[in-house]
C-alpha cells in the first residue's frame, strides 16, 4: 500500500512545479471549510431540525399515552355496576322511557332471559331515541345488543326494534 501511495505521489505531486504545489496547498486549505460545511455541518443541522420536530410530536404522543394510562387505571378501580335481571331491567327501562317522554311510543317490551329486554318503538324521533339510549348507557349501564332501525316517511322519525342488555357483566 505504501508503495502505491509513493508511486502516485511521484507521478502527480512531485512532477509539479513548486509554485503549483503551493497554489494547490492554498486551494486545499481554502476548500477545507467549504467541504466541512457542506459535508458535515449542513446535513447535521438539517437532521437536528427534523429531529426537533419529531421530538415535539413524540412528546405530545407520550403525553396522550400517559393521560390514557391514567384513565385506564381510574376505570380499572371504578366499582362495577350490579347486573340487573330481566324484570328489574324492564322496570328501569319503563321508568326511563316515561321520564324521557318515550313511553307512548313503545309498542312492545318483552323479557329476554337472563338479563335482556326486547323493546320496539312504532314511531320515534331518531335524535330523541339516541338521547334516551345514551342516558341509559350512562345511568343504568344498559347497552344495545341487537338493533333494527327503519326510516319512516316523516322526517326524522324511525321505527326501532332493539334488544337491550344490562352492562353490569361487562
Amino acid at each position: 500500500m505504501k508503495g502505491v501511495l509513493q508511486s502516485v505521489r511521484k507521478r502527480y505531486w512531485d512532477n509539479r512545479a513548486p509554485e503549483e504545489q503551493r497554489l494547490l496547498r492554498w486551494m486545499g486549505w481554502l476548500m477545507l471549510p467549504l467541504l466541512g460545511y457542506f459535508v458535515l455541518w449542513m446535513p447535521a443541522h438539517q437532521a437536528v431540525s427534523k429531529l426537533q420536530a419529531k421530538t415535539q410530536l413524540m412528546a405530545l404522543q407520550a403525553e396522550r399515552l400517559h393521560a390514557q394510562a391514567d384513565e385506564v387505571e381510574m376505570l380499572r378501580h371504578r366499582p362495577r355496576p350490579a347486573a340487573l335481571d330481566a324484570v328489574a331491567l324492564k322496570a328501569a327501562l319503563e321508568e326511563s322511557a316515561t321520564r324521557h317522554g318515550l313511553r307512548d311510543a313503545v309498542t312492545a317490551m318483552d323479557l329476554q332471559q337472563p338479563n335482556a329486554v326486547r323493546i320496539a318503538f312504532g314511531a320515534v324521533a331518531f335524535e330523541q331515541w339516541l338521547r334516551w339510549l345514551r342516558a341509559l348507557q350512562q345511568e343504568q349501564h344498559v347497552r344495545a345488543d341487537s338493533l333494527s332501525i327503519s326510516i319512516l316517511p316523516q322526517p326524522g322519525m324511525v321505527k326501532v326494534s332493539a334488544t337491550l342488555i344490562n352492562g353490569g357483566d361487562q
Side-chain angles (χ1 to χ4, degrees):
M1 181 71 174
K2 190 174 182 180
V4 172
L5 287 176
Q6 285 178 349
S7 70
V8 168
R9 182 178 170 197
K10 282 184 183 187
R11 242 184 316 166
Y12 294 107
W13 187 253
D14 291 341
N15 290 337
R16 299 195 184 275
E19 295 84 23
E20 193 179 358
Q21 288 179 356
R22 192 174 340 147
L23 180 66
L24 288 173
R25 279 190 198 112
W26 275 101
M27 293 303 287
W29 282 107
L30 290 174
M31 295 300 284
L32 191 62
L34 290 173
L35 184 66
Y37 174 79
F38 286 110
V39 172
L40 300 174
W41 188 84
M42 192 171 75
H45 184 67
Q46 290 173 345
V48 165
S49 61
K50 287 179 185 177
L51 289 174
Q52 285 175 341
K54 286 183 181 180
T55 302
Q56 291 172 352
L57 178 65
M58 292 175 92
L60 290 173
Q61 290 173 343
E63 185 177 320
R64 192 172 344 139
L65 268 173
H66 286 297
Q68 288 174 348
D70 293 341
E71 185 178 356
V72 165
E73 193 62 31
M74 180 193 68
L75 291 174
R76 187 175 288 154
H77 295 297
R78 188 176 72 183
R80 299 184 76 109
L84 299 175
D85 64 346
V87 176
L89 181 59
K90 181 179 177 183
L93 291 176
E94 286 176 342
E95 185 273 325
S96 179
T98 303
R99 197 168 15 101
H100 285 85
L102 292 173
R103 187 63 185 111
D104 294 338
V106 175
T107 57
M109 192 178 295
D110 302 317
L111 300 177
Q112 305 278 319
Q113 294 301 327
N115 63 342
V117 172
R118 182 92 180 142
I119 189 167
F121 291 89
V124 65
F126 185 66
E127 286 185 33
Q128 185 180 13
W129 184 81
L130 281 178
R131 281 193 300 271
W132 178 67
L133 186 61
R134 179 71 177 159
L136 283 175
Q137 289 173 344
Q138 291 176 345
E139 299 166 5
Q140 304 290 333
H141 304 287
V142 171
R143 63 180 172 92
D145 187 46
S146 65
L147 187 62
S148 172
I149 299 176
S150 303
I151 300 172
L152 296 177
Q154 301 90 0
M157 300 299 283
V158 293
K159 179 180 179 180
V160 177
S161 177
T163 302
L164 302 176
I165 63 172
N166 180 254
D169 58 349
Q170 295 176 352

